[in-house]
């Protein structure tokens, strides 16, 4: 049954994969949450099943339609298919303005009771977001209106996405001391687990070599855990070997271990188990905040360095952003003025980790107070349902 805040029976979510794992990562979390917590029949349209299978291995990359975790996964093959009004659900969501098939939009307009139509926008702390959140956009020729819905970091936005039991799961994981066993299951040795543990998920253009050099000369051991395929050139240069799950090497104070690409649920556990997390794009960026640990964000590159504006807007509001954290985030994204002293920066940051962890936990609870993104969207949709009907 649907929750009281969600009087909707069916929903289509369209996802076009641009950033290999971030786009489908976000949409898959939302689809599962809608099905599990709100009892909605969800159909997830996705154009790249291969990327999908990397984060959810049971996905059949050859199937046109399949059922996974209570969600109908539909391979979105293009823009030319035919649709009937009877195909259209109560709610239609397009992710990042991915442009619905024209025939699908026509079918939306033919539905006797028009669906509620949303465009889920990207996450940003820039002030303009608050002014655009929930704005309507009437279709130029059809009797349809699309609403923009923005995630964000305060009550004037949609908030961040989280499952109802996520924080309870994290607290139980930490209280039970499962982190050591979890890491051991990924091949992390007892000696590696004793050092400062860092997960590394970034784009290939991040300055990995400079970071590794600072860690090799660090005053205390660092264990870097990197998924297979991430930062391949720099990681293989350090390893002196092909990058394969299970491969590891130690040079100076730095041990680098290559992990298998884990499912989403295990990725959360990895974030919880580390002392510092390097994340990229949007999905892992949000999950790092729910981990309650300090993190460094690698933003998806935008023309004219617009991602630098996005980074600086976030650093301005992010409570745990000490000078060392802010400097490292900027250098990691090519936004630092001049040359960063990587060794000095790491010494400062490593010394601050206990205080930064406490601040990250406070930030987590501050974000929880804004409510869950999908809960907020469905409440807004329910108000529209009353107003428009």
């Amino acid at each position: 049954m649907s929750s009281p805040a969600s009087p909707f029976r069916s929903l289509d979510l369209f996802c076009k994969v641009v950033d290999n794992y971030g786009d489908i990562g976000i949409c898959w979390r939302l689809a599962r949450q809608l099905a599990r917590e709100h009892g909605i029949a969800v159909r997830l349209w996705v154009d790249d099943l291969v990327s999908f299978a990397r984060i959810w291995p049971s996905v059949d990359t050859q199937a046109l339609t399949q059922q996974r975790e209570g969600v109908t996964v539909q391979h979105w093959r293009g823009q030319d298919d035919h649709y009937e009004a009877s195909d259209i659900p109560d709610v239609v969501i397009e992710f990042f303005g991915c442009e619905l098939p024209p025939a699908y939009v026509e079918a939306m307009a033919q539905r006797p009771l028009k669906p509620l139509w949303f465009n889920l926008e990207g996450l940003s702390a820039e002030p303009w977001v608050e002014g655009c959140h929930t704005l309507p956009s009437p279709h130029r020729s059809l009797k349809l209106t699309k609403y923009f819905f923005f995630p964000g970091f305060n009550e004037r936005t949609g908030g961040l996405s989280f499952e109802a039991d996520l924080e309870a799961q994290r607290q139980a994981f930490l209280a039970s001391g499962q982190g050591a066993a979890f890491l051991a299951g990924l091949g992390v040795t007892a000696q590696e687990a004793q050092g400062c543990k860092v997960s590394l998920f970034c784009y290939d253009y991040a300055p990995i070599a400079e970071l590794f050099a600072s860690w090799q000369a660090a005053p205390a051991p660092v264990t870097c855990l990197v998924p297979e395929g991430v930062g391949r050139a720099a990681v293989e240069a350090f390893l002196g070997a092909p990058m394969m799950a299970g491969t590891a090497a130690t040079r100076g104070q730095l041990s680098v271990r290559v992990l298998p690409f884990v499912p989403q649920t295990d990725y959360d556990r990895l974030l919880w188990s580390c002392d510092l997390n390097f994340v990229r794009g949007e999905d892992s960026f949000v999950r790092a905040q729910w981990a309650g640990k300090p993190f460094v964000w690698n933003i998806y590159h935008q023309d004219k360095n617009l991602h630098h504006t996005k980074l600086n807007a976030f650093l301005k509001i992010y409570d745990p952003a000490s000078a060392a954290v802010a400097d490292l985030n900027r250098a990691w994204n090519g936004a630092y003025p001049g040359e960063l002293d990587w060794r000095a920066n790491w010494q400062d940051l490593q010394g601050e980790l206990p205080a930064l962890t406490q601040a990250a936990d406070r930030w987590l609870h501050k974000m929880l107070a804004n409510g869950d993104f999908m809960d907020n969207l469905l409440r807004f949709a329910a108000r529209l349902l009353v107003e428009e009907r």
Side-chain angles (χ1 to χ4, degrees):
M1 302 237 347
S2 297
S3 71
S6 172
F8 308 107
R9 296 171 298 174
S10 56
L11 180 149
D12 274 2
L13 173 56
F14 284 80
C15 175
K16 184 168 289 185
V17 177
V18 178
D19 179 8
N20 289 353
Y21 312 115
D23 300 321
I24 183 56
I26 294 169
C27 290
W28 181 230
R29 290 187 195 278
L30 293 179
R32 283 160 44 220
Q33 184 184 7
L34 283 163
R36 184 175 62 249
E37 297 181 11
H38 300 279
I40 297 175
V42 180
R43 183 167 51 177
L44 173 61
W45 297 78
V46 57
D47 65 338
D48 182 354
L49 295 176
V50 174
S51 291
F52 192 177
R54 290 296 302 277
I55 64 167
W56 206 261
S58 68
V59 167
D60 182 351
T61 60
Q62 303 301 314
L64 177 61
T65 305
Q66 57 192 297
Q67 293 290 322
R68 292 290 180 272
E69 300 294 312
V71 174
T72 299
V73 177
Q74 185 80 29
H75 187 195
W76 183 11
R77 298 170 299 178
Q79 298 289 84
D80 300 327
D81 288 345
H82 177 74
Y83 304 89
E84 301 288 346
S86 58
D87 296 328
I88 305 303
D90 298 334
V91 180
V92 176
I93 297 176
E94 57 183 87
F95 184 71
F96 280 11
C98 60
E99 190 177 346
L100 302 181
Y104 186 96
V105 178
E106 291 280 354
M108 288 169 62
Q110 293 167 10
R111 191 178 191 259
L113 194 59
K114 302 295 186 292
L116 291 171
W117 184 10
F118 297 97
N119 183 30
L120 299 194
E121 287 289 346
L123 175 60
S124 177
E126 295 169 272
W128 64 266
V129 165
E130 298 171 14
C132 295
H133 179 55
T134 71
L135 281 183
S137 176
H139 193 277
R140 61 183 180 276
S141 58
L142 301 173
K143 291 184 178 180
L144 291 170
T145 299
K146 177 166 58 177
Y147 293 87
F148 293 92
F149 207 83
F150 285 78
F153 304 96
N154 60 40
E155 71 284 357
R156 295 179 296 280
T157 67
L160 301 178
S161 177
F162 61 91
E163 300 85 352
D165 61 350
L166 179 63
E167 177 59 6
Q169 285 189 31
R170 184 183 77 98
Q171 292 289 356
F173 180 87
L174 296 175
S176 65
Q178 295 177 48
F182 172 76
L183 292 177
L186 294 175
V188 178
T189 68
Q191 183 175 358
E192 290 169 348
Q194 289 175 1
C196 175
K197 297 174 290 298
V198 183
S199 73
L200 179 63
F201 187 43
C202 63
Y203 298 110
D204 289 343
Y205 51 77
I208 301 171
E210 289 88 338
L211 183 67
F212 279 7
S214 71
W215 284 344
Q216 289 180 68
V222 176
T223 297
C224 177
L225 307 174
V226 55
E228 185 176 12
V230 172
R232 183 179 296 277
V235 173
E236 288 186 343
F238 178 87
L239 295 172
M243 189 182 191
M244 296 170 41
T247 307
T250 298
R251 303 181 190 281
Q253 293 279 49
L254 172 61
S255 296
V256 173
R257 176 167 292 278
V258 181
L259 304 182
F261 217 94
V262 298
Q264 280 188 332
T265 47
D266 281 347
Y267 183 66
D268 284 327
R269 296 183 181 99
L270 177 64
L271 296 176
W272 300 343
S273 301
C274 289
D275 303 297
L276 175 69
N277 295 300
F278 282 71
V279 293
R280 79 181 201 189
E282 185 170 318
D283 182 54
S284 60
F285 170 51
V286 172
R287 303 312 282 195
Q289 293 176 65
W290 298 136
K293 298 292 181 68
F295 65 88
V296 178
W297 182 25
N298 198 191
I299 309 181
Y300 190 78
H301 191 276
Q302 293 179 288
D303 292 339
K304 300 180 181 179
N305 287 329
L306 292 178
H307 56 300
H308 292 174
T309 301
K310 193 172 181 178
L311 173 65
N312 286 322
F314 176 69
L315 291 175
K316 187 175 181 180
I317 67 163
Y318 182 52
D319 295 342
S322 67
V325 170
D327 287 349
L328 182 54
N329 271 275
R330 293 189 176 101
W332 197 236
N333 289 279
Y336 185 79
E339 294 292 330
L340 179 70
D341 186 334
W342 290 83
R343 293 187 182 184
N345 174 270
W346 177 248
Q347 288 184 16
D348 290 344
L349 197 154
Q350 192 169 27
E352 295 172 353
L353 276 178
L356 290 172
T357 301
Q358 292 179 351
D361 190 70
R362 291 194 297 271
W363 174 263
L364 179 158
H365 287 89
K366 182 178 179 180
M367 293 301 100
L368 285 174
N370 295 325
D372 166 58
F373 175 78
M374 193 49 67
D375 276 348
N376 291 336
L377 183 145
L378 291 176
R379 287 191 177 92
F380 176 65
R383 293 198 299 272
L384 291 175
L385 189 65
V386 173
E387 294 170 3
E388 296 185 1
R389 305 302 192 259

